[in-house]
Amino acid sequence: MTTEIKYRRASGLVRSLGALDTLNLNVSMCSPPQGVLWAWTWGAAMFPGALLSLSYFLGIFAILPIALIYVLWTIAMPRSGGDYVWLSRAYHPIIGFMVNFFLTFVMLNWYAMNLQTTGPFFLASFFTALGYTDLAGWVSSFEGSMIIGIIFLIIYAVLILRGMRFFALFLRIFFVLSLVGSAVFIVLALLTPTSVIMSRFMQYTGMSVEELVNRAVTLGFTGTAVALLPTLMGLIFPFQNYSWAAFPSYIAGEIKEVKRNAWIGIIGGLFAMGAWYVVLGHSVYMVLGYQGVSALSWLYQWNPDKYPLPFAPYPQNYAFFMTDNVVLIALIAFGWLASGIYLTPPNLLIVSRNVFAWAVDGLLPQKLREVKWGSPIYSVVALSIITIPLMYLVGLASYQVMIVNTFFFMQLALIIVALGSALLPYRKKELLELMPGTAKKKIGNIYMITIIGLLATVLHAWVAYSAITAPALGGLQLVSFLFNLAIFLLPIPLYIIVRHYRLAKEGIDINLLYKEVPVE
């Protein structure tokens, strides 16, 4: 005897996001000031000779194929869960679950890391700009960073529980605040006389920029001139920061007019974030020059005892070289703080929708698909609780070693999406018919979706190879590789166990649910 499965005709989620809010969500997940902080602080140390602003420009076009794939699938199946829904219907539930589970693991780690670093990377610079150096030191400590992170975690959970319209308003506000900080930085970089910058740099370091570069060269620094190979290796940064530039796909069940807004949100978002990255990042080079910025990064990473500044070479701290106006320095520092806040809560939003999608298909308790106030409340609360110990872990060096090879497996997940899309016309042509005309066009006898998918496969395979072989990226770390492999494969036994449990206890075969598109 089998139990009749009764699913609600609607998920409870509401399509409330317009074109600009969809675009803004995509940009927020890749928050340019935050990414510029990471790349320009450590990039020259990792790849001496890389012109990172050019890397980010090229990265826009390198990410474009996978972004196009996510647009086409989002229009075909506009549901919460994104790639989980598509791959589970096109191939097998385990494949969709495996890819989405790992990417959800990645985003939850990002969420925990961004919370844990709000204090040291963003609040510390803001308090330093205001002259509160003791407070800056406390928020940079492990204890302080954990307390700050938990406070923001509670705020973000409440924010998301208020519903999508309120959350979209929040993102608009912090988009403006982040952009204002970037704009002030860019204008100062353009207008501040070189003599002023050199004089103020001398005040902080007791040396000229030329002497700084010579010190670094004496110690082994080789990145005094731009070179093509390290610039191409620098593509690792936009592949991390742009990621797959398709985050609206995971909340597609809440986007209005998906056939239009998926293009604007995903492709428009990619070009918007790319322009912001390139202009802001290149303006950092304009402050001390390419050699000066690169030498600072290299010394900070590899010879900290010879590093001459009393603060880290975070881009927002370059404001001290351009002006002594406290208001302008604080505006720039607050812009970077706002960018961290702009970046962080969308991670919780997206992973909560993925967990919601798993629950809709019966992989998790049905309580996790329950929607109130326009949000899956139990998913949001459960994930917030899980994030607290994860915040503690990401602050430990031992756990950071464990996730060194996470980027490789993230690329592997995207390769599965890309290759699966390329093979779709030969696997399930009826799903191809759901896609826009772009996917169904042909060059010769080959479908456009196949060409785009194969191109994305090659690009992400190259990035995966670079991530596992480049010493600057940690290379292959056996413990980390095995840990991430275990996470990647974990959905296989999970799915089998859940399916057999529900079949034995409830008479429900969840395999049958994957014959249909989930509720809207």
Side-chain angles (χ1 to χ4, degrees):
M1 179 179 177
T2 59
T3 303
E4 182 183 358
I5 306 172
K6 294 183 179 179
Y7 285 94
R8 286 159 36 181
R9 294 186 180 183
S11 67
L13 299 175
V14 178
R15 293 190 181 276
S16 58
L17 288 182
L20 293 181
D21 285 328
T22 304
L23 183 150
N24 194 23
L25 173 70
N26 205 13
V27 175
S28 72
M29 278 293 292
C30 309
S31 181
Q34 188 267 359
V36 167
L37 184 153
W38 283 91
W40 268 257
T41 299
W42 289 281
M46 294 171 67
F47 302 113
L51 182 62
L52 293 171
S53 50
L54 179 56
S55 301
Y56 275 89
F57 176 76
L58 296 174
I60 297 170
F61 303 96
I63 292 292
L64 189 56
I66 195 71
L68 284 169
I69 286 172
Y70 273 76
V71 170
L72 298 173
W73 273 114
T74 299
I75 293 172
M77 292 188 195
R79 299 292 187 269
S80 296
D83 40 47
Y84 162 71
V85 174
W86 320 327
L87 292 175
S88 62
R89 271 69 186 174
Y91 289 92
H92 191 279
I94 286 178
I95 294 177
F97 190 30
M98 187 166 62
V99 166
N100 189 258
F101 184 89
F102 190 81
L103 294 178
T104 299
F105 165 75
V106 170
M107 285 185 273
L108 196 60
N109 271 272
W110 285 348
Y111 183 52
M113 188 173 296
N114 291 333
L115 285 166
Q116 207 269 342
T117 57
T118 298
F121 286 173
F122 301 107
L123 274 174
S125 293
F126 181 63
F127 289 138
T128 298
L130 296 177
Y132 300 124
T133 53
D134 289 343
L135 191 54
W138 181 78
V139 298
S140 297
S141 68
F142 187 77
E143 177 189 8
S145 66
M146 283 294 296
I147 292 172
I148 293 295
I150 291 171
I151 291 171
F152 275 97
L153 179 146
I154 294 169
I155 293 170
Y156 297 152
V158 172
L159 179 68
I160 291 172
L161 290 174
R162 285 292 305 274
M164 190 60 82
R165 287 189 179 90
F166 187 79
F167 185 74
L169 174 62
F170 166 86
L171 284 187
R172 286 178 223 152
I173 292 169
F174 276 86
F175 163 77
V176 171
L177 294 174
S178 302
L179 189 60
V180 167
S182 295
V184 173
F185 185 97
I186 292 165
V187 170
L188 281 178
L190 285 169
L191 299 182
T192 305
T194 302
S195 59
V196 171
I197 294 173
M198 295 300 107
S199 174
R200 292 187 61 77
F201 182 81
M202 178 74 78
Q203 291 175 24
Y204 279 100
T205 64
M207 64 172 62
S208 67
V209 172
E210 184 180 357
E211 290 170 328
L212 169 80
V213 174
N214 288 338
R215 173 185 288 188
V217 169
T218 301
L219 294 168
F221 175 59
T222 59
T224 55
V226 174
L228 178 60
L229 182 59
T231 298
L232 292 176
M233 289 300 294
L235 279 167
I236 290 292
F237 286 102
F239 266 90
Q240 286 180 319
N241 293 137
Y242 300 158
S243 298
W244 49 113
F247 299 102
S249 298
Y250 298 98
I251 57 148
E254 294 162 270
I255 298 174
K256 297 186 291 187
E257 300 180 54
V258 177
K259 291 182 179 179
R260 177 178 71 102
N261 293 342
W263 287 102
I264 295 171
I266 295 175
I267 303 303
L270 172 60
F271 279 92
M273 70 178 77
W276 192 346
Y277 266 104
V278 171
V279 174
L280 179 60
H282 201 73
S283 71
V284 175
Y285 286 135
M286 294 173 64
V287 180
L288 296 178
Y290 174 78
Q291 290 188 347
V293 170
S294 300
L296 269 183
S297 168
W298 192 86
L299 286 171
Y300 182 71
Q301 177 69 21
W302 302 119
N303 289 274
D305 58 320
K306 301 295 183 181
Y307 177 74
L309 287 170
F311 45 75
Y314 302 154
Q316 64 266 43
N317 289 338
Y318 283 46
F320 291 108
F321 307 140
M322 296 186 285
T323 182
D324 57 2
N325 186 306
V326 175
V327 174
L328 292 178
I329 294 172
L331 265 176
I332 290 170
F334 184 76
W336 255 271
L337 170 61
S339 79
I341 297 172
Y342 178 55
L343 163 79
T344 305
N347 287 276
L348 177 60
L349 173 76
I350 289 171
V351 297
S352 72
R353 271 41 177 188
N354 289 347
V355 169
F356 166 84
W358 305 342
V360 166
D361 282 337
L363 287 173
L364 294 177
Q366 292 299 288
K367 206 71 175 170
L368 294 174
R369 65 173 285 186
E370 192 169 315
V371 174
K372 290 183 180 178
W373 311 307
S375 187
I377 58 170
Y378 295 106
S379 290
V380 173
V381 171
L383 288 163
S384 297
I385 293 170
I386 291 170
T387 300
I388 295 174
L390 194 55
M391 279 175 54
Y392 177 81
L393 287 175
V394 298
L396 301 177
S398 54
Y399 184 75
Q400 290 170 13
V401 170
M402 297 293 283
I403 58 176
V404 165
N405 292 145
T406 296
F407 186 61
F408 168 82
F409 283 91
M410 189 176 93
Q411 299 308 307
L412 182 59
L414 295 176
I415 289 169
I416 293 173
V417 176
L419 195 56
S421 302
L423 297 175
L424 184 67
Y426 314 101
R427 165 70 181 177
K428 281 198 176 180
K429 200 166 183 179
E430 64 271 22
L431 292 182
L432 178 66
E433 294 305 315
L434 298 175
M435 290 187 168
T438 304
K440 293 175 276 192
K441 290 180 180 178
K442 289 184 176 181
I443 296 179
N445 292 321
I446 305 175
Y447 285 97
M448 187 62 72
I449 185 69
T450 300
I451 295 170
I452 297 171
L454 291 176
L455 179 57
T457 299
V458 170
L459 287 166
H460 288 273
W462 174 76
V463 174
Y465 173 78
S466 299
I468 211 74
T469 57
L473 296 172
L476 174 63
Q477 300 287 336
L478 183 59
V479 173
S480 175
F481 187 90
L482 293 176
F483 171 74
N484 282 278
L485 180 63
I487 298 294
F488 198 87
L489 298 179
L490 181 60
I492 298 176
L494 283 180
Y495 180 84
I496 294 171
I497 291 168
V498 170
R499 185 192 176 203
H500 283 280
Y501 173 84
R502 298 203 66 187
L503 196 59
K505 296 291 184 180
E506 304 170 4
I508 298 172
D509 186 356
I510 61 173
N511 255 3
L512 299 176
L513 297 176
Y514 293 93
K515 305 295 182 183
E516 299 176 349
V517 177
V519 293
E520 209 173 320

